[in-house]
Amino acid sequence: MPVYDQSYKRWEGSFKSHSFRWWVISKYGIKTALKKKWVKRLLVFSLLPFLLHAFWVYGLTQKGALTKFLPPLQGVRAIREMSGKVYHVQIEGAPEFFFEELRKQGLRSEVTGSELKITVPDGENSKSIRAIAKRTGTKITRLVPPGVKASFYNAYLNRQLLFLFILLLAVGSGLISKDVKFNALQIYLAKPITAMEYILGKLGIAVFFSVMVTVVPGLFLFLIQAILVGDSLYLRHYWWVTGAICGYSLLVIFSSTLIVLALSALSRNARSAAFGAAALFWFSPMIARMLRSWTWNDKYLLISFLHNCKSAGEKIFGLSATTDVSWGWSFLIVMAIMALCAVALVRRVRAVQVVK
Amino acid sequence: MIDIEGLTVRYGSSVALDEVSFSVKGPAIGLLGPNGAGKTTLIRGLLGFLKPVKGTGTVLGHGILTERLRVRQLVGYLPEDDCIIPDMSAVKFLAYFGELCGMPKDDATQRAHEILHYVGLGEARYRNVETFSAGMKQRIKLAQALIHDPKLLLLDEPTNGMDPTGREEMLYLIKNISREKGIGVLVSTHLLPDVEAVCDEIVVINKGKVAVQGDIAELKGENRKVYEVKVRENRERFCEQLVRCGYEWKEWRDGMIKVYVPEEEGATKIFSAAKDTGSQIRHLVFEKSSLEQVFMHSVTEAEEE
């Protein structure tokens, strides 16, 4: 009997359940892409804006601590004196002993209209205000913690779009076109997976890298701010920002990945697919801006994929629109593009292309 | 193993398969036909790649229209075209498809090594598949078809582009799989020697229709002798006399007939029949039937019809 039988052996094991077969495609795709040095470099490079924004958040929330590293000039001293977290408070009535207690505890207060701005020193939080209110029998009707504006996160994500698009062009443009070029689709689909699972698997690869440069750093930035503010009230009051970060990111991620994948499926050449996607991402805004400047009509901005995404983003973050174009139209156009790309993908991802 | 009932597939306005019906048990079936006959379309139809206009069928008892994923779980497919995933070593390529079939990662990797040894690519298993020669690509395609231990292999032109030695080895592997490993094999080819070397049963397709189907030995008439006979005068009576002798006969070209005689008998009774009916035998040739003749005859007959 041979030491090692090299003839065909039957497999005695049992197959895994059918669900999540698409993940095998995603997993292999992600691993393969991560082996490429330039993908890793691009991912690291995309962290630079995150670091700058994180530093900005630190500066905003820890002004006092930051001034310790600066020479004791007059301006720096002023900043240190001004430092602290500003809470916006509404109380019933205006009891003098409440303000007196605030002064005693070293909390600065300023009345602006019906609102009271209370500055709490670094290291303390809303608990100090609540404790004073309790001691003085004052009823707080509203207490808003300090926070970075939603526009800050919106702007951060808008800056990350550059990295997102570059990564998508680099990683996503060849995902399906290579399989079409090398006839791999028929062996994929001869296995027990559906065309939809194949698409989902490929989408998973593109979405993974997109999430790594948008949702993950965005949420991390929010977390950093929450930690630096050091008040659980912050999380309770601004939790919706995490939803806005995810919502806006996912809208951009799914629309742009579907565009790249659809173009990849329509072409046998990864470069052509990348060029087509680049045209949509960067040339369409250029054309839109040119037409707007010639005609003074904001409606031409609807041609721009980037503008439509940003316009929908402004709405998601609750910001006022920067143009006259309704965000609803922009959102509809993005949705229509996604639907078109999905149809193209479903029609192209087939084991056999029938030429009629 | 495969049952097809009235399968009709169209590519736009042209009919690729026209009410194809057959039933085969295996273990090794040859799917023969000239180029463009519809062999590949039939295989693609069995895998559910193409939606038939009409008809249905089962593969290993599972409906080709209703249980596509189940069929694909049980079937391994070797396509005609070169199919690879670039930037992947042979072992990874196989393990990947093993996992896609639902095998646990470790099992898929171990089996990938085993299968690569089996198909003769053991030494090249860490090489990227796009660097493989045509023959090696055929082998890796066979390997990916075998990775999930299927019960039936659908092989579309498995010896395409292989040198004579490689072809022999490939045919040996297919024979080994079907005869000794209990895996059914459907070999689609237009190379008759390949089918003769591997299969017991054939289905000949011509212009999208089944031209002939059956056991190779039976179709070749291996259990009987065939004589090509041409007679003058009283031809009809001569033919009737042959039937009375228990012989089967068929019209053949140029007014000749083919007479099928049991193996242990000679041509004596044919001469007797001619003598009894007053016919003159002008031509009598013993013919050794080959698969090529069966194929040519069935294709010509179908075209005449």
Side-chain angles (χ1 to χ4, degrees), chain B residues 85-147:
Chain B
I85 298 176
D87 303 326
M88 232 188 215
S89 69
V91 72
K92 264 201 184 148
F93 180 76
L94 287 199
Y96 177 48
F97 282 110
E99 273 197 77
L100 265 185
C101 291
M103 295 171 86
K105 194 182 176 212
D106 292 344
D107 284 19
T109 310
Q110 191 189 335
R111 192 165 164 80
H113 285 277
E114 286 172 9
I115 297 286
L116 284 167
H117 276 295
Y118 178 65
V119 300
L121 289 175
E123 297 296 317
R125 62 190 193 273
Y126 295 113
R127 252 174 74 180
N128 272 9
V129 282
E130 71 263 31
T131 64
F132 280 7
S133 66
M136 289 166 96
K137 279 180 184 163
Q138 287 299 108
R139 286 168 194 262
I140 192 87
K141 282 197 286 179
L142 177 66
Q144 66 78 27
L146 284 168
I147 187 71

Side-chain angles (χ1 to χ4, degrees), chain A residues 176-192:
Chain A
I176 300 179
S177 62
K178 276 186 185 169
D179 288 341
V180 175
K181 187 178 176 183
F182 292 101
N183 295 315
L185 274 178
Q186 49 183 325
I187 40 174
Y188 268 109
L189 299 179
K191 301 289 178 239

Side-chain angles (χ1 to χ4, degrees), chain A residues 163-173 206 210 253 256-257 260 281:
Chain A
F163 296 102
L164 169 70
F165 292 158
I166 293 173
L167 255 174
L168 274 180
L169 296 189
V171 176
S173 57
S210 308
I253 287 171
S256 49
T257 49
V260 173
F281 294 155

